[in-house]
Amino acid sequence: MKYLLAKGLGTKQKKADAISEEDEEILWSSGVFGQSNSTTLQYTVFYYACKMFGLRGRDEHRNLQCSQFELGEDGKGKYIRFIGRNNKTFNGGLGHMKISNKDIKHYSNDGPRCMYNIFETYLNMLGNDGCFYRKPLAMVGNTIRYGKQPLGVNKLEGLMKEMCQKAGLTGNYTNHSGKRTCATALYKAGLDEQTIMDRTGHRSSAVRAYKSKTDEIEQKVSSVLNPPSIDTVSVTHNKLEVEGPLLKCTKLEPVNTENSANCRDISTRLKCLNDITNTSGTVNFNNCNFSFT
């Protein structure tokens, strides 16, 4: 392993890419997401089930049932409630007796992309019962239809890659991209780690692996480490103070530079300090103490 690493092999890990806000908008604008037919509706529900509830790429999707989703409304608005079951981090055994399953309430925004309305349409087409992912059927008129047969395992595992390719997105997109998108978006929003773990279902610091660097963060770090710009360099001027008896001078009189070398008393010395920086030629001082701060 050390030998391979020294040769440069294994230095770059291949991870599922998170879907950015820009790419998500492309999925909508290209028609991959929406409610125009059975396939686009299923794509939309699949992606946002990943993003909103942090579902895993394989086990949680494959075993998903319609009964795990509840639609409701309270004083805060319309919501979709997801009730998780056994998965990789929660199998319900004796070792997990003190661990709670996922129970997430997601509040939806109003508008044409309201997730409450989209999930309601999808669940109604499935009869609110049975397997959550079923084979899409051709539409009859304007009616969206799904068969009774569950979506195949291979088809389900490649669903994220399939929809991203249709939208023309480039990157390593897998079903795990949905969970990564969930965690990355919450990290970027500044939410605390425990809140993120409640959504993703992580029970350890492994959730930090989803704290991906963005181009904006890279640019900010780079700007801090770059050489100082000439435009930002500021010149500070030192102040001159005379050491001696306490004497406060509010105004300095013009000085005759010809007599500056013979300054003896305090009043004369104060006059010598008048706008020295604007005096041309060489100025000599004798028996004068200056403090520069």
Side-chain angles (χ1 to χ4, degrees):
M1 184 64 182
K2 293 181 179 180
Y3 174 79
L4 295 176
L5 191 61
K7 294 296 182 181
L9 299 176
T11 56
K12 185 177 181 181
Q13 296 180 349
K14 189 175 182 180
K15 299 179 180 179
D17 293 331
I19 295 179
S20 65
E21 291 184 12
E22 293 77 11
D23 288 341
E24 191 172 328
E25 181 59 38
I26 292 174
L27 287 163
W28 281 101
S29 60
S30 63
V32 175
F33 285 171
Q35 303 183 66
S36 58
N37 56 59
S38 305
T39 301
T40 58
L41 178 59
Q42 191 172 74
Y43 283 158
T44 308
V45 169
F46 175 83
Y47 173 76
Y48 283 99
C50 294
K51 183 181 180 182
M52 297 189 305
F53 305 113
L55 299 186
R56 297 183 180 278
R58 180 178 299 177
D59 57 341
E60 285 187 291
H61 283 291
R62 186 173 55 190
N63 301 322
L64 209 56
Q65 298 290 310
C66 292
S67 57
Q68 292 180 250
F69 294 91
E70 296 180 3
L71 303 178
E73 185 174 2
D74 57 21
K76 297 181 179 65
K78 295 180 178 179
Y79 64 82
I80 306 169
R81 182 186 178 191
F82 171 72
I83 304 171
R85 296 181 181 176
N86 60 314
N87 54 59
K88 180 180 177 181
T89 58
F90 177 76
N91 55 36
L94 293 176
H96 290 174
M97 290 183 64
K98 296 183 179 181
I99 301 174
S100 300
N101 60 309
K102 276 187 180 181
D103 192 342
I104 300 171
K105 185 184 288 187
H106 180 88
Y107 288 92
S108 299
N109 294 328
D110 293 328
R113 298 178 183 178
C114 174
M115 284 298 110
Y116 177 95
N117 295 336
I118 290 175
F119 270 70
E120 183 180 41
T121 300
Y122 184 76
L123 288 169
N124 287 339
M125 295 301 102
L126 299 178
N128 283 291
D129 186 50
C131 182
F132 190 69
Y133 295 113
R134 303 180 197 174
K135 185 177 180 180
L137 300 178
M139 295 179 63
V140 177
N142 295 324
T143 304
I144 292 176
R145 302 187 306 149
Y146 296 95
K148 295 182 179 180
Q149 182 181 359
L151 206 61
V153 174
N154 294 333
K155 177 72 172 180
L156 185 59
E157 289 185 358
L159 212 56
M160 186 72 73
K161 181 179 180 180
E162 179 182 307
M163 67 176 72
C164 289
Q165 286 179 342
K166 285 188 176 182
L169 304 183
T170 57
N172 183 33
Y173 297 114
T174 69
N175 283 5
H176 199 63
S177 295
K179 193 178 186 74
R180 179 172 290 276
T181 301
C182 172
T184 302
L186 295 177
Y187 266 122
K188 288 179 65 176
L191 295 174
D192 63 273
E193 198 166 278
Q194 184 58 53
T195 300
I196 298 173
M197 291 170 66
D198 289 341
R199 280 277 171 151
T200 61
H202 286 91
R203 296 193 294 110
S204 68
S205 58
V207 69
R208 295 174 185 171
Y210 296 91
K211 196 173 184 179
S212 304
K213 292 182 292 185
T214 63
D215 291 339
E216 291 78 9
I217 294 176
E218 292 279 28
Q219 186 179 26
K220 186 175 181 179
V221 172
S222 299
S223 65
V224 173
L225 300 179
N226 277 332
S229 173
I230 296 177
D231 296 335
T232 61
V233 176
S234 60
V235 180
T236 58
H237 298 280
N238 292 330
K239 297 180 180 179
L240 294 175
E241 293 182 358
V242 177
E243 291 183 355
L246 293 177
L247 181 62
K248 185 176 181 180
C249 180
T250 58
K251 183 178 180 181
L252 297 178
E253 299 296 333
V255 63
N256 185 351
T257 57
E258 294 180 357
N259 299 325
S260 60
N262 299 318
C263 296
R264 298 298 181 188
D265 56 280
I266 294 297
S267 60
T268 304
R269 277 187 283 170
L270 287 173
K271 292 180 181 180
C272 293
L273 299 178
N274 180 45
D275 203 10
I276 293 176
T277 56
N278 293 327
T279 302
S280 60
T282 302
V283 179
N284 297 319
F285 296 93
N286 293 324
N287 299 323
C288 295
N289 295 323
F290 298 94
S291 176
F292 296 87
T293 60

